[in-house]
Amino acid sequence: MTRHNPGDIADGIAPAQANASGLDGTSTHEETVIQGRENVVTAREATVYHREDVAQRREEVVSKREEVILARERSVTTREQDSRTKESLKTATDEHLTLLQKANAHLVIATLEAHELTEQVQTAREQMKYAAYHDGLTGLPNRMLLQDRLDQAIESARRQARPLAVMFLDLDRFKYINDSLGHGVGDQLLQSVAQRLQNSLRHSDTISRQGGDEFVVLLPNVEHAKDAAISAEKILAAQILPHHIGSHKLHISVSIGIGVYPDDGQDAETLIKSADIAMYHAKERGRNKYEFYKHEMNKRVVERQSIEAELRLALERQEFVLYYQPIIYLLTGKIVGVEALIRWQHPKRGLLPPEQFVSVAEDCGLILPMGRWVLHEACRQAQAWNQVGFCHRLPSPSIPPHTSSVPRISLKTSVKRSRKQACHRTCWNSK
């Protein structure tokens, strides 16, 4: 179908009217009617097309409105999603923040605990290191630390071509205090001795406890031998004063041996050995004194060690003998007792007097079994004399006040036991 505009229809009517005058009435009328009908149809078609255009435009408007609505709905949905996302993010952020706070708290606690543990480990290491190089009783440097410092001091003295001194100290008769009063009192006495040593010497000097009642002092800064002698005199003067240990008032002296680098040794071991030898020489000369090392002392040390070894065998072999010196009452001239004097019948050296071996026996702990043997033998001999009428009664042996090597209670107990054994054996033999 051909679409016509309303203007075209009007234009068609005019020619038709113009041509109507030249035609007959019937044809013209029919043509007019037909033309009018065609025009009406055309108009109707135009109206329909117009309506279709309007409807199409309406549909386009509706479509656009729907698109706008959809866009708005999408926008709302997007906003809702954004809002939910933000809420989720906020929730997640809050949870993450809470987790972070907890983790941070745990981290802080762990850091503090790690720091505290590190301090404890460091403290433990320092304590272990201190314990490895110091004496547990007195807190003084031990053998290891002394060896290290002495090696360094010798090297420094060698480079600077100057002397240094080593002193070896031993407490006189400390063993008898330990045995009679107990190790607790002995330990407190050692602590008191160590404190006085520290007060008597310089901070640059090293005081070491070697063990037991032995101490070693390193004097790294000495110009002459007399400097070491001055330090030794200070030590002797400080130690001679009484030590107040609990309820006890204890007197203890010190024997000191001194070795000087480089004359008496060029290494730590030799220097300490030289000072040790000199210390034993000081003991032999009466104790409570100091002695410088001399090379001829080696011979006496070797002899002393030999005597100590042979003394142990002498007890087993019964090489000791007793000589009895009578005690006479001057007014009557009668024998009122005897004094037993020990001698050592040495298989190679002959008869040895007590001054050659008793001090060694005291130092090495053999004086106790030797004293028991003397008491037993003296009581046995006294009982034998009584049996033959030499004495009217068994004399009571006296305990001299200077017998410090044997506790007095042990002596008295040994005397009673020896007298009973002597009486029992004599009575048994007389049956």
Side-chain angles (χ1 to χ4, degrees), residues 306-307 309-311 314 317 319-321 343-352 356-357:
S306 176
I307 289 176
E310 291 173 348
L311 268 177
R317 298 171 181 173
E319 295 175 356
F320 296 108
V321 294
R343 299 291 185 269
W344 182 6
Q345 188 63 54
H346 196 281
K348 295 180 180 180
R349 304 181 186 183
L351 195 64
L352 300 180
Q356 293 189 16
F357 60 88

Side-chain angles (χ1 to χ4, degrees), residues 17 27 68 95 97 131 154 170 202 247 293 398 402 418-419:
Q17 291 178 354
S27 299
V68 171
E95 292 178 353
L97 182 61
I154 290 174
D170 186 86
R202 300 166 297 185
S247 60
Y293 172 78
S398 61
H402 62 274
S418 298
R419 292 180 64 182

Side-chain angles (χ1 to χ4, degrees), residues 100-114:
L100 285 176
Q101 290 175 345
K102 291 181 179 179
N104 187 45
H106 290 309
L107 182 60
V108 170
I109 294 173
T111 302
L112 293 175
E113 291 178 348

Side-chain angles (χ1 to χ4, degrees), residues 203-257:
H203 292 292
S204 59
D205 302 330
T206 297
I207 307 167
S208 168
R209 182 180 177 223
Q210 296 295 95
D213 60 341
E214 295 179 341
F215 298 84
V216 172
V217 176
L218 166 62
L219 305 175
N221 301 317
V222 294
E223 295 295 333
H224 307 284
K226 65 179 181 180
D227 297 335
I230 293 173
S231 296
E233 289 172 356
K234 289 181 180 179
I235 292 173
L236 293 175
Q239 298 299 334
I240 201 64
L241 298 175
H243 296 263
H244 297 277
I245 308 299
S247 60
H248 303 285
K249 186 178 180 181
L250 304 178
H251 293 269
I252 193 87
S253 59
V254 182
S255 296
I256 305 175

